[in-house]
Amino acid sequence: MTTHAGAVHAHEAPQGFIRKYIFSLDHKVIGKQYISLALFSAFVGMFLSLLMRMRLAWPTMKLPFFPDGILPEQYLAMVTMHGTIMVFMVLTTAPQSGFGNYFLPIQIGAADMAFPVLNMLSFWTTLLSLVVLMAAFFVSGGAPLGGWTVYTPLSAIGQIAGPGQGLGMTLWVIAIAIFCGASLMGAINFIATTLDLRSRGMSLMRLPLTVWAWFITAVISLLAFGVLLAAGILLLLDRTAGTSFFIPGNLVLTDKVIPHKGGSPILWQHLFWFFGHPEVYIAILPGMGLASHVLSTFSRKPVFGYRAMVFAMSSIAFLGFIVWGHHMFVSGMSPYVGLAFSVLTMSIGVPSAIKTFNWLGTLWGGDIKFTTPMLFALGFVSLFVSGGLSGLFLAQTSIDQYLHDTYFVVAHFHLIMGVAAIFGIFTGVYFWFPKMFGRMMSDTMGKLHFWLTFVGVYAIFMPMHFIGLAGHPRRYADGSGAAYLASMDPVHVFMSVAAFVTIAAQFIFLFNFLWSIWKGKKADINPWQATTLEWGVPSPPPHDNFAGHEPPVHRGAYEFAVPGVADDYIMQTTPPEKVAKA
Amino acid sequence: MGSKKGNTGSAATATTLALFLVALTVFTVYIFVAKPIWSWFPPAINEIGHEIDRQFMRTLVITGVVFVLAQFGLAWVVFRYRTRGQRATYSHGNNVMEVIWTLATAILFIGLGIYAQRAWAEVRLKPAPPDAMRIEVIGQQFKWSFRLPGPDGKFGKYKFEAHPEQEFTRDPWVVDADDPDGKDDVILGPGSVFAVVVDQPVELLIRSKDVTHSFFVRELRLKQDAVPGMTVPLQFTATVPGEYQVVCAELCGQGHHLMGTFMKVLSREDYAAWLKDMTAE
């Protein structure tokens, strides 16, 4: 059991607007800053997907700012920026840096993160990264067109490879390198805080599963972003300093011989996916932790198999580092290596299945309350199953030869890494909003938002599997290049219409969010009758969370429906003698 | 929470959610079973293609069963345990069940993964038979070109292969004039269609002149990246004559979606006639 003086040091609340809200050292303000950044980025990324769906359904349609319709190179720039913004600026920041920053210290009983200045720096570095990334839209040639995976040598040889591959691509690499720095700072902070600042009595096996998820995600970030940073620097050197890490000799484009030799395009893929696969778990693990937490809270029942859940998350994190080659079965990598990666990848289905069984086990025998956060957590489970099972096809070398780089892959990762993770974020917003803003969000608008989004995402991504099975390659601006693609046009139109409805539904969320900050019903200190430490402090919590005290912790995080006890929940901080008998 | 009104609301929500999950599952299964998905796949034209289809079906059955059980299970617990003023069961889990489902999924998933390696080994680990027809496939933005070794069965060296010590300022992808192996090579330039002989083993040697592309023919169920700086082999034996679409499956630039051509599978006589046409031009 760890205790630390840091847990009780009360720091003075800063005076003045700038110290309080802009360059703040308070983990709660920084958490809100991250969530705002992610919210802004999510709407930009969603707007790009709207334009992409327009192009795919009606390729020649003229639009404002696109007098000739969206051109293929503009479509590909949108593909690249949509993926980059969503993966880095939304899925990596909101669940981990946003909610993690705000709630990890409170849930473990600490006054702040271990390194508040580092915390502030990591947010401002992330914002800088976002600004540099967005600048790529506005430079000559526009944003890069190589996809978020920026495979070399397309991304390494400059403007000659296509529009956006000049300055736009350079800005992309710089932005991502900056982002890696920010994530590394955040990861160190999360790890140190979890290990050192736990309150008296908060043993590891009493931690809420949200804290376990943030902690494990931080460890993954620390190991993965360092590799991407190195890869990004090498790519930048190839582009600007004449090195040839990723560029082999004798490349000829538009009759010009590229003055590089000796590099390996596959090296980039290895480095990128060594980061890229763990990144999938960086996006989804916090959602898994939160789903467990919320399912338990609203079924009024302890988490089924708490230790198994911790074990499953840890093994997902470990296995996540040794399966990156399944992105590269047809890359030209040795087929023997592909064989090994395939079997390892199939085994990652095991901890994922354990989690699903345990979620169902948590609900089984419960007293399920259908609040908006609970609906999103239930949606998360359904989407996680649907999106996860298609992974079993792609993990098999022989089947992947057909499905690789088709829409089947796009459908798979959107369901599991995109939409399921986004459902995790929505769960967090609806669940913690009362604590963060002291007011409730509208339940009616929340449920409307849930239904439109849940039905909408299935309507978009289920049909997408079928055009993938029919062999439709991804990242195609339209189907004009092959006769068999034309027969799939009606499916594209259907998916686009479903996407417009789903996107429109997000404005209900945005309105509910902004309206409730000022006009929502006042929230009690513990409106959900939850057990963890954040529900024992005022809404919103004061500057130093626990008013200079270290809250003693008496039990695990999920004591619901304990026999012989009057209430159907006992808070972690309630001393045994204060628990009312039935 | 727990009020009379909340309970009524929870019945409606629980029922709707359960019904939606059931409908989603039934509809997804319906598309696969009643309107079979393998009718969306074009028929395979090689033995490996059929084996990949069989492995796909095995995987579909296993994941299908898990999909139905999980979604129905979720629908059931949501409906059955909706709040009606009851108190939840106090349980922290069951270790026996954890062990059972861990072992069951491990055997099922890893076993499936190992089984899938048969088709992979057949295409990727075995060397091509010595009588295989060898065809060089070259990707470049945004066209495919091909080269046949000619009657001697040998490819001539490109200039950069014949003289690696020289730095070329002009096109290095020209067959070296001094290499006797290259005299009879048949070059089918950018944008060409290519042909193979039915029932004859083929080994493609896939390369790229500029960025990474990917050679993909649906009916072969095969895909292979064309990687600059590498020559990657890909073997198959096509058993059904016809003309099949070749597309590029790896993002290669703004014309990526237009980078298509055709592969003809011809009888031996038709192939000879086709080749004569090609060399006559």
Side-chain angles (χ1 to χ4, degrees):
Chain A
M1 218 164 287
T2 314
T3 55
H4 192 281
V8 287
H9 76 98
H11 40 196
E12 296 281 309
Q15 302 302 314
F17 183 79
I18 289 183
R19 293 292 293 168
K20 213 166 165 182
Y21 296 109
I22 310 290
F23 295 105
S24 172
L25 299 178
D26 184 346
H27 69 101
K28 296 184 289 299
V29 176
I30 295 171
K32 281 189 191 172
Q33 288 172 329
Y34 267 117
I35 290 169
S36 313
L37 180 145
L39 193 64
F40 168 77
S41 305
F43 273 82
V44 174
M46 200 172 67
F47 179 66
L48 292 172
S49 63
L50 175 77
L51 293 173
M52 283 149 62
R53 286 312 324 172
M54 293 295 289
R55 161 85 206 186
L56 290 169
W58 302 283
T60 54
M61 187 189 272
K62 293 178 174 42
L63 297 166
F65 301 105
F66 298 97
D68 305 317
I70 297 167
L71 304 174
E73 58 268 33
Q74 291 171 326
Y75 169 79
L76 291 174
M78 290 167 190
V79 169
T80 307
M81 294 300 273
H82 166 81
T84 309
I85 290 170
M86 288 302 202
V87 169
F88 291 98
M89 301 300 167
V90 180
L91 298 177
T92 309
T93 53
Q96 178 76 4
S97 315
F99 293 125
N101 248 312
Y102 199 110
F103 288 105
L104 187 142
I106 312 185
Q107 285 195 330
I108 63 172
D112 204 328
M113 295 289 269
F115 312 116
V117 176
L118 193 68
N119 205 13
M120 177 185 76
L121 274 176
S122 61
F123 170 74
W124 287 99
T125 314
T126 307
L127 184 64
L128 175 66
S129 159
L130 177 65
V131 171
V132 175
L133 184 65
M134 292 292 177
F137 278 118
F138 303 102
V139 297
S140 138
L145 52 62
W148 85 283
T149 56
V150 299
Y151 274 14
T152 54
L154 184 65
S155 61
I157 51 181
Q159 191 72 52
I160 195 167
Q165 297 306 92
L167 185 52
M169 182 61 216
T170 304
L171 288 174
W172 188 99
V173 189
I174 293 171
I176 295 309
I178 296 172
F179 189 89
C180 291
S183 296
L184 290 172
M185 288 191 271
I188 294 166
N189 217 344
F190 273 59
I191 294 169
T193 305
T194 312
L195 293 178
D196 282 350
L197 296 190
R198 277 172 291 126
S199 180
R200 190 150 37 82
M202 183 60 95
S203 64
L204 288 175
M205 284 299 140
R206 283 178 177 177
L207 287 175
L209 285 172
T210 44
V211 175
W212 267 111
W214 289 319
F215 174 67
I216 294 169
T217 303
V219 175
I220 302 176
S221 299
L222 189 65
L223 298 174
F225 275 106
V227 175
L228 183 64
L229 178 59
I233 291 170
L234 298 187
L235 181 55
L236 198 59
L237 290 172
D238 272 12
R239 294 180 55 81
T240 57
T243 58
S244 297
F245 293 104
F246 307 119
I247 312 173
N250 301 300
L251 300 193
V252 181
L253 279 93
T254 53
D255 296 328
K256 189 170 167 287
V257 181
I258 305 297
H260 285 268
K261 65 174 180 179
S264 158
I266 295 189
L267 175 63
W268 169 262
Q269 298 185 29
H270 278 296
L271 293 172
F272 183 83
W273 289 115
F274 188 89
F275 149 80
H277 199 75
E279 165 62 32
V280 173
Y281 300 108
I282 291 172
I284 197 80
L285 272 173
M288 288 176 165
L290 186 54
S292 309
H293 191 83
V294 167
L295 290 177
S296 170
T297 303
F298 293 110
S299 50
R300 317 304 296 162
K301 199 168 161 279
V303 166
F304 191 93
Y306 175 94
R307 278 171 187 273
M309 288 302 226
V310 174
F311 165 77
M313 284 197 284
S314 310
S315 23
I316 286 173
F318 171 71
L319 290 170
F321 276 101
I322 52 174
V323 298
W324 78 90
H326 68 226
H327 297 270
M328 301 170 58
F329 290 148
V330 299
S331 69
M333 166 180 88
S334 160
Y336 293 94
V337 181
L339 200 149
F341 275 122
S342 171
V343 175
L344 287 169
T345 304
M346 293 300 274
S347 64
I348 213 164
V350 177
S352 309
I354 295 174
K355 297 203 69 77
T356 307
F357 284 127
N358 282 326
W359 286 325
L360 294 178
T362 303
L363 294 164
W364 191 278
D367 173 23
I368 301 173
K369 320 270 191 199
F370 293 93
T371 60
T372 305
M374 182 61 165
L375 285 176
F376 275 98
L378 291 166
F380 176 94
V381 175
S382 172
L383 290 161
F384 181 75
V385 170
S386 304
L389 285 171
S390 51
L392 290 173
F393 293 87
L394 297 167
Q396 297 179 41
T397 44
S398 57
I399 301 176
D400 185 64
Q401 293 180 99
Y402 182 77
L403 293 176
H404 182 83
D405 265 330
T406 66
Y407 267 105
F408 191 85
V409 179
V410 183
H412 161 70
F413 74 72
H414 269 93
L415 274 188
I416 195 151
M417 180 198 186
V419 181
I422 292 277
F423 267 53
I425 296 172
F426 283 136
T427 306
V429 172
Y430 285 107
F431 182 64
W432 278 316
F433 189 91
K435 186 52 62 186
M436 295 173 72
F437 298 99
R439 290 174 188 273
M440 306 297 286
M441 285 178 82
S442 154
D443 199 46
T444 312
M445 279 192 271
K447 285 191 166 130
L448 183 64
H449 172 227
F450 167 77
W451 284 111
L452 288 171
T453 309
F454 191 48
V455 177
V457 292
Y458 269 125
I460 302 167
F461 294 111
M462 272 302 185
M464 196 179 275
H465 289 89
F466 292 102
I467 62 169
L469 291 174
H472 194 323
R474 63 191 285 209
R475 293 163 168 170
Y476 268 31
D478 57 57
S480 60
Y484 76 82
L485 298 177
S487 66
M488 303 176 200
D489 284 347
V491 188
H492 273 305
V493 172
F494 179 85
M495 290 191 291
S496 291
V497 172
F500 301 153
V501 175
T502 314
I503 288 170
Q506 304 320 304
F507 287 91
I508 302 174
F509 166 76
L510 187 65
F511 176 78
N512 191 0
F513 184 85
L514 296 175
W515 183 81
S516 302
I517 289 178
W518 290 283
K519 300 283 180 186
K521 206 172 67 167
K522 284 259 192 243
D524 296 338
I525 194 167
N526 188 3
W528 310 124
Q529 304 186 329
T531 55
T532 43
L533 268 61
E534 76 270 33
W535 303 107
V537 294
S539 310
H543 175 71
D544 57 356
N545 299 341
F546 299 97
H549 298 295
E550 184 184 9
V553 171
H554 299 282
R555 61 185 61 74
Y558 304 105
E559 289 303 309
F560 291 100
V562 181
V565 172
D567 292 328
D568 71 346
Y569 69 106
I570 315 174
M571 296 199 65
Q572 289 189 277
T573 44
T574 309
E577 64 276 11
K578 292 241 176 103
V579 176
K581 298 275 183 294
Chain B
M1 291 198 304
S3 69
K4 184 111 176 38
K5 188 170 167 288
N7 290 352
T8 330
S10 89
T13 310
T15 312
T16 317
L17 184 55
L19 284 178
F20 173 75
L21 290 171
V22 170
L24 167 80
T25 312
V26 169
F27 188 64
T28 308
V29 173
Y30 171 82
I31 293 178
F32 275 108
V33 175
K35 195 169 176 295
I37 190 59
W38 50 98
S39 72
W40 291 57
F41 286 163
I45 56 164
N46 51 341
E47 186 39 47
I48 283 304
H50 293 299
E51 173 53 27
I52 290 172
D53 287 358
R54 286 191 289 274
Q55 180 65 16
F56 179 87
M57 286 308 297
R58 288 189 275 268
T59 310
L60 185 63
V61 168
I62 290 173
T63 52
V65 169
V66 177
F67 177 72
V68 171
L69 289 180
Q71 300 288 3
F72 277 16
L74 185 60
W76 166 250
V77 291
V78 160
F79 179 75
R80 170 68 183 76
Y81 298 106
R82 68 185 187 278
T83 184
R84 283 172 291 180
Q86 79 272 30
R87 195 176 169 100
T89 320
Y90 183 73
S91 160
H92 279 280
N94 182 322
N95 285 338
V96 177
M97 286 170 80
E98 301 282 355
V99 171
I100 290 173
W101 57 52
T102 304
L103 286 179
T105 48
I107 292 166
L108 203 60
F109 291 174
I110 297 170
L112 196 61
I114 292 171
Y115 207 78
Q117 304 302 340
R118 295 202 322 184
W120 178 254
E122 199 65 35
V123 195
R124 301 284 178 161
L125 303 184
K126 272 196 185 169
D131 65 332
M133 200 176 156
R134 294 165 76 227
I135 302 171
E136 185 180 69
V137 179
I138 298 174
Q140 70 186 84
Q141 287 184 336
F142 300 98
K143 299 254 191 317
W144 295 101
S145 50
F146 305 90
R147 183 163 67 129
L148 314 175
D152 67 352
K154 288 178 189 163
F155 288 108
K157 285 189 168 70
Y158 288 112
K159 282 192 177 176
F160 69 88
E161 294 168 328
H163 309 285
E165 73 288 353
Q166 294 178 17
E167 295 285 343
F168 290 99
T169 49
R170 289 179 45 224
D171 193 355
W173 289 83
V174 174
V175 178
D176 184 41
D178 299 332
D179 186 349
D181 292 343
K183 299 277 189 240
D184 60 349
D185 285 6
V186 180
I187 291 164
L188 309 170
S192 300
V193 166
F194 82 111
V196 300
V197 177
V198 69
D199 294 329
Q200 151 109 44
V202 174
E203 182 176 44
L204 302 182
L205 302 167
I206 300 176
R207 343 179 43 156
S208 167
K209 272 188 191 178
D210 46 29
V211 300
T212 306
H213 304 274
S214 193
F215 177 90
F216 177 36
V217 177
R218 293 190 305 161
E219 289 81 357
L220 293 173
R221 305 285 188 269
L222 296 177
K223 187 176 289 137
Q224 175 54 54
D225 284 3
V227 187
M230 288 178 77
T231 304
V232 189
L234 184 69
Q235 53 171 309
F236 60 87
T237 307
T239 55
V240 184
E243 192 175 69
Y244 303 100
Q245 177 82 48
V246 178
V247 295
C248 178
E250 183 60 68
L251 178 52
C252 57
Q254 73 265 45
H256 171 51
H257 62 297
L258 301 174
M259 189 170 162
T261 184
F262 291 94
M263 177 181 83
K264 290 170 187 278
V265 179
L266 303 172
S267 68
R268 200 160 286 282
E269 301 78 59
D270 288 348
Y271 180 81
W274 173 83
L275 187 61
K276 204 166 159 221
D277 266 10
M278 288 295 124
T279 43
E281 275 166 20

